[in-house]
Amino acid sequence: MKRFKLWPAGLSTTGNVLIGLGIAATVGLFGLAAAQPKSLENTSQKNPSQLTPTSQPSVKADTTEIKQVSETEVAPFSTTTQNDGAIPKGQTKVTQTGQNGVKTRIYSVTYTNGQETNRELISENVTTPPVDQIVHNGTYVAQVSCSGGYINVDGNCIPSPSSNPAGATAQCGDGTYSYSQHRSGTCSHHGGVARWL
């Protein structure tokens, strides 16, 4: 064990007791250790009353807007026909060209957050009327000189029934041959149609 040398105590000029340097050093060493302050608490921890509360996300209210919207669509034309004796039968002629019109619809449209959520029809009108197309059907049949036969509905001269089978379309009940171009009325005065050829 290390020994410390003691010096006699003496009085200073001011009357204070001087302690041997060895003891003073020893006491000072232990006194310093005893005087160390307690470890400070973690100062980084905040008082609960000082904590900032977590902010709640804001809820954005829906935006609603109502607008009037106009939409158009085609109004189709109609076609009418008329008989015309100035046009040969079997022919047609367009005397007035049809034109489509315009139909307009107006809606009340509701938008929520910019998206359409409801639509209600307010009015519907034909803003541009269509023009009908007019077609003339020919009914004129030229008079044809027809001896030994008859003129059918097409204006053609048809030979009367005979015993000649060439060109015949049917054989009548009395044995004669008909050259009719339509079945209606064939062999009407010759016992009706026995068979079609």
Side-chain angles (χ1 to χ4, degrees), residues 126-140:
V126 177
T127 49
T128 303
V131 176
D132 288 345
Q133 180 162 290
I134 300 176
V135 179
H136 283 204
N137 287 330
T139 59
Y140 172 74

Side-chain angles (χ1 to χ4, degrees), residues 84-97:
D84 191 335
I87 300 174
K89 189 172 183 177
Q91 296 183 18
T92 60
K93 181 179 180 180
V94 177
T95 59
Q96 178 173 287
T97 302

Side-chain angles (χ1 to χ4, degrees), residues 14-57:
T14 59
N16 294 326
V17 178
L18 294 176
I19 303 195
L21 295 177
I23 297 175
T26 304
V27 172
L29 178 63
F30 288 102
L32 178 63
Q36 287 295 325
K38 294 182 180 180
S39 61
L40 297 178
E41 295 181 356
N42 186 2
T43 58
S44 64
Q45 182 177 0
K46 295 184 179 179
N47 189 318
S49 63
Q50 297 177 346
L51 295 177
T52 302
T54 303
S55 59
Q56 297 295 329

Side-chain angles (χ1 to χ4, degrees), residues 5-189:
K5 185 176 181 180
L6 299 178
W7 286 269
L11 294 175
S12 67
T13 56
T14 59
N16 294 326
V17 178
L18 294 176
I19 303 195
L21 295 177
I23 297 175
T26 304
V27 172
L29 178 63
F30 288 102
L32 178 63
Q36 287 295 325
K38 294 182 180 180
S39 61
L40 297 178
E41 295 181 356
N42 186 2
T43 58
S44 64
Q45 182 177 0
K46 295 184 179 179
N47 189 318
S49 63
Q50 297 177 346
L51 295 177
T52 302
T54 303
S55 59
Q56 297 295 329
S58 60
V59 179
K60 187 177 180 181
D62 291 338
T63 58
T64 302
E65 186 178 12
I66 299 177
K67 294 181 180 180
Q68 284 194 355
V69 177
S70 177
E71 295 183 356
T72 59
E73 66 178 43
V74 173
F77 66 84
S78 300
T79 300
T80 60
T81 59
Q82 299 176 1
N83 291 331
D84 191 335
I87 300 174
K89 189 172 183 177
Q91 296 183 18
T92 60
K93 181 179 180 180
V94 177
T95 59
Q96 178 173 287
T97 302
Q99 295 180 0
N100 291 327
V102 177
K103 181 185 292 185
T104 302
R105 289 190 176 100
I106 297 178
Y107 296 90
S108 175
V109 181
T110 302
Y111 296 91
T112 303
N113 297 331
Q115 299 295 323
E116 181 178 332
T117 56
N118 187 55
R119 174 176 291 236
E120 181 180 352
L121 179 64
I122 297 177
S123 64
E124 178 180 86
N125 297 293
V126 177
T127 49
T128 303
V131 176
D132 288 345
Q133 180 162 290
I134 300 176
V135 179
H136 283 204
N137 287 330
T139 59
Y140 172 74
V141 177
Q143 297 298 320
V144 178
S145 175
C146 185
S147 62
Y150 64 94
I151 297 176
N152 67 3
V153 295
D154 297 325
N156 299 324
C157 180
I158 305 300
S160 298
S162 70
S163 59
N164 184 6
T169 57
Q171 186 173 20
C172 301
D174 62 2
T176 60
Y177 294 93
S178 172
Y179 313 98
S180 175
Q181 294 179 343
H182 301 280
R183 294 197 172 193
S184 177
T186 301
C187 298
S188 58
H189 300 291

